Amino acid sequence: MLQIISPIMRVIEVPMLALQRMLGTNKIAWVFLLPNLILFGLFAFLPVILNVFYAMTGGDNVLLEARPFVGAQNFGTLTECDNFLDPNTCREDKFWRAVWNTCWFVVLQVGFMVGFSLLTAIILNRDIRARGFFRSVFFFPVLLSPVVVALIWKWILQREGVLNAFLDWTGVGGYNWLVDANWAFTWAVFISVWAHMGFYTLILLAGLQAIPRDVYEAAMMDRANPWRTFRRITLPLLSPTMLVVVVLALIKGVQTFDEVYAFTGGGPGTATTFIIQYIYEEGFAGAPRLFGLAAAASLLVAGVLVVLTLIQLWINRRNVDG
């Protein structure tokens, strides 16, 4: 194998050395970064620019040259409300129902996700029997496809599903979990936490293991109780990792789509319709396809995520400086 690779590398070495002499040692790194920068610009930066153009044009034609310029009309349509707390007073009531559903979902999902992930990480960080097995068990749902997760739980929770079969067997009686709006939303939060908790547990576990052991030994020598040790040592030293987890969970929560869409389809009614589903239906599944409205909604979501992330980073910087 080396007999084949060595001549090839010697051939490549000649132009690379010439390029290094021409550009200098510091600039040669850009040559290696250029392919990735081109791909990033083509598949990430360019779509964002196109999205801005679509948000400022109207009609249902996909070609930009065939779309009339409407300025901020799409943003005005989305934000035209008498009372933003009451979606019925809004011109795009479905958009605001999706916004409020997403807000409640993010608050509940991120709160439970961070709380359970932290608790699980603390337990798995202890010297318990079969610790490696339990770590694998908690991380396993992360490896499943979101659609697979949704179909598994739909099979469990449907009217003739496993859960109702068990409840009928115990004499409690089954229930239409996916027909009740409150229960459908509750199960959507539960399934999301169940499916993604292992990922954030792994991050927090790495953060816990990075805390020096001698700090805890000093706390033991001072006879600090477990709660005081957790509050005074673990939480402050784990706060940078917690910030990462909160930001990632927040972004993931706002972008929730595939699991819930495969699980409930956004129903019953609009009980589990979230903002990404609204964007998808307006831009790709509806008739006519309102690409401009969908693009404007996606830019509003992106702007909110940027603001929330900056606020969290500012809070973390204040805590560090303080």
Side-chain angles (χ1 to χ4, degrees):
M1 192 68 179
L2 289 175
Q3 294 176 351
I4 300 174
I5 296 177
S6 296
I8 297 175
M9 297 306 295
R10 282 196 293 269
V11 172
I12 297 175
E13 184 181 14
V14 174
M16 293 305 297
L17 287 174
L19 192 61
Q20 181 176 348
R21 286 192 295 268
M22 182 175 63
L23 297 177
T25 305
N26 294 331
K27 294 182 180 179
I28 191 65
W30 289 101
V31 176
F32 297 98
L33 291 173
L34 188 60
N36 285 333
L37 292 175
I38 292 174
L39 290 175
F40 179 80
L42 186 62
F43 294 104
F45 189 64
L46 181 60
V48 172
I49 297 176
L50 290 175
N51 200 43
V52 173
F53 281 109
Y54 274 104
M56 301 179 69
T57 56
D60 60 352
N61 200 312
V62 71
L63 299 177
L64 280 175
E65 59 268 18
R67 297 179 58 82
F69 179 79
V70 297
Q73 180 178 325
N74 290 317
F75 296 97
T77 300
L78 292 175
T79 56
E80 185 178 335
C81 274
D82 293 332
N83 182 6
F84 290 103
L85 299 178
D86 183 7
N88 292 322
T89 65
C90 301
R91 180 175 176 181
E92 276 294 312
D93 60 314
K94 187 177 179 181
F95 171 76
W96 285 101
R97 292 181 195 279
V99 167
W100 286 115
N101 287 343
T102 304
C103 290
W104 279 113
F105 179 83
V106 168
V107 169
L108 294 173
Q109 190 241 30
V110 173
F112 284 119
M113 184 87 74
V114 174
F116 283 120
S117 297
L118 179 59
L119 178 63
T120 306
I122 291 172
I123 295 172
L124 294 178
N125 193 44
R126 294 178 175 272
D127 188 14
I128 58 175
R129 184 176 298 179
R131 182 172 60 179
F133 169 76
F134 286 112
R135 288 178 179 178
S136 302
V137 168
F138 278 100
F139 189 75
F140 177 74
V142 181
L143 303 177
L144 298 176
S145 165
V147 176
V148 171
V149 170
L151 293 179
I152 289 173
W153 282 98
K154 191 173 184 178
W155 174 65
I156 293 173
L157 296 170
Q158 61 189 354
R159 184 62 186 88
E160 303 299 328
V162 176
L163 180 58
N164 280 339
F166 174 76
L167 294 176
D168 288 334
W169 177 74
T170 57
V172 176
Y175 190 75
N176 287 323
W177 305 102
L178 303 182
V179 177
D180 187 302
N182 293 326
W183 274 113
F185 187 88
T186 301
W187 281 114
V189 174
F190 172 82
I191 292 169
S192 181
V193 172
W194 177 84
H196 303 287
M197 189 181 73
F199 174 71
Y200 302 106
T201 298
L202 189 66
I203 297 176
L204 290 172
L205 185 60
L208 288 171
Q209 292 178 344
I211 299 176
R213 294 292 96 189
D214 54 357
V215 179
Y216 291 108
E217 292 173 1
M220 290 178 62
M221 293 177 64
D222 290 339
R223 296 184 179 181
N225 60 56
W227 169 245
R228 186 175 179 84
T229 301
F230 173 75
R231 189 164 55 91
R232 295 293 187 179
I233 296 176
T234 304
L235 274 184
L237 294 178
L238 194 63
S239 59
T241 307
M242 287 283 290
L243 177 67
V244 172
V245 168
V246 171
V247 171
L248 291 177
L250 182 67
I251 294 173
K252 179 65 178 178
V254 174
Q255 293 178 338
T256 295
F257 168 66
D258 39 11
E259 285 170 359
V260 178
Y261 189 72
F263 179 56
T264 63
T270 58
T272 57
T273 299
F274 299 138
I275 188 64
I276 302 302
Q277 180 178 339
Y278 171 83
I279 294 170
Y280 164 74
E281 290 180 347
E282 290 297 317
F284 301 99
R289 297 180 179 179
L290 304 177
F291 299 111
L293 207 61
S298 67
L299 289 176
L300 290 177
V301 173
V304 170
L305 286 176
V306 170
V307 171
L308 289 176
T309 303
L310 291 175
I311 290 174
Q312 290 176 341
L313 292 174
W314 175 73
I315 294 173
N316 183 68
R317 181 173 296 177
R318 283 194 62 185
N319 292 335
V320 172
D321 295 340

